[in-house]
Every structure is written in structure tokens, then in C-alpha cells.
């Protein structure tokens, strides 16, 4: 499995601020991309730093999704008033989620 980690910088998010308002729309855009396995969106409300982690079957399917991912990243950052700081790619060494 492979992962793409995108980092964004925006304004701090108040405790009562919504961070998942557009999550369904974003998931709809990527869920049918071949090789897509899942997504996490991480937010540090105090600093305004956010990260999206997408998971892919393998390196090939992750790389094949680059163009679409870049478009979604740009649209999301613009809508949320963020700038894209970095995009990194990794092989997943292991994963574990409690049931």
C-alpha cells in the first residue's frame, strides 16, 4: 500500500468551526479512482495546519491518480482559504486500526 500526504496552511480554526463540511464531496471525487483505499484529513485548529492522507493499493495506482489528486487539492485549498505547503509520497510500512 502507498500513501500521499498533502500539507496545507490556513487560518486557525475556532473550536466551534466546522472541519468536515465538504468531506462527502471530496470522498465522492476520489472513491471511484482505481486503487483508492481511503482518506484521512488531519487538522491542527490552533495553527491552521491541515494534512490529507490518501491511501492507494500500490505505487502505480497512486501515481496514475496524480493529475486528478492535484486538481482536487487545488480546489480544496482554494475553497478552504489554504495554501498547499507540500505533497509527499510514501510506502506504507504497516497499518492498524482498532475495530
Amino acid at each position: 500500500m502507498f500513501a500521499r500526504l498533502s500539507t496545507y496552511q490556513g487560518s486557525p480554526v475556532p473550536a466551534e468551526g466546522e472541519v468536515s463540511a465538504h468531506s462527502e464531496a471530496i470522498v465522492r471525487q476520489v472513491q471511484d479512482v482505481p486503487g483508492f483505499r481511503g482518506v484521512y484529513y488531519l487538522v491542527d485548529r490552533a495553527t491552521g495546519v491541515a494534512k490529507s492522507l490518501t491511501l492507494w493499493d500500490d505505487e502505480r495506482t497512486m501515481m496514475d491518480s496524480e493529475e486528478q489528486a492535484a486538481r482536487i487539492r487545488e480546489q480544496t485549498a482554494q475553497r478552504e482559504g489554504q495554501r498547499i505547503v507540500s505533497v509527499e509520497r510514501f510506502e506504507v510500512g504497516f497499518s492498524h486500526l482498532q475495530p
Side-chain angles (χ1 to χ4, degrees):
M1 187 165 30
F2 278 74
R4 183 184 299 116
L5 180 66
S6 302
T7 302
Y8 309 87
Q9 178 65 59
S11 299
V13 181
E16 67 279 355
E18 177 62 51
V19 294
S20 63
H22 303 286
S23 61
E24 288 182 30
I26 292 168
V27 171
R28 274 196 306 274
Q29 290 179 314
V30 296
Q31 69 184 3
D32 294 328
V33 176
F36 175 75
R37 299 282 301 271
V39 61
Y40 290 92
Y41 187 68
L42 313 168
V43 179
D44 182 328
R45 289 177 180 270
T47 66
V49 172
K51 296 182 183 273
S52 63
L53 178 73
T54 55
L55 299 169
W56 302 90
D57 280 335
D58 52 42
E59 187 174 23
R60 182 187 55 76
T61 56
M62 180 180 68
M63 298 311 288
D64 287 350
S65 72
E66 287 290 323
E67 186 176 311
Q68 186 170 3
R71 187 174 62 252
I72 294 168
R73 213 174 12 258
E74 290 289 337
Q75 291 170 352
T76 301
Q78 186 175 40
R79 182 180 58 241
E80 301 297 324
Q82 301 169 321
R83 68 179 175 84
I84 300 165
V85 175
S86 65
V87 179
E88 302 170 279
R89 292 148 194 89
F90 299 93
E91 182 173 2
V92 176
F94 74 90
S95 65
H96 174 81
L97 290 174
Q98 290 294 96

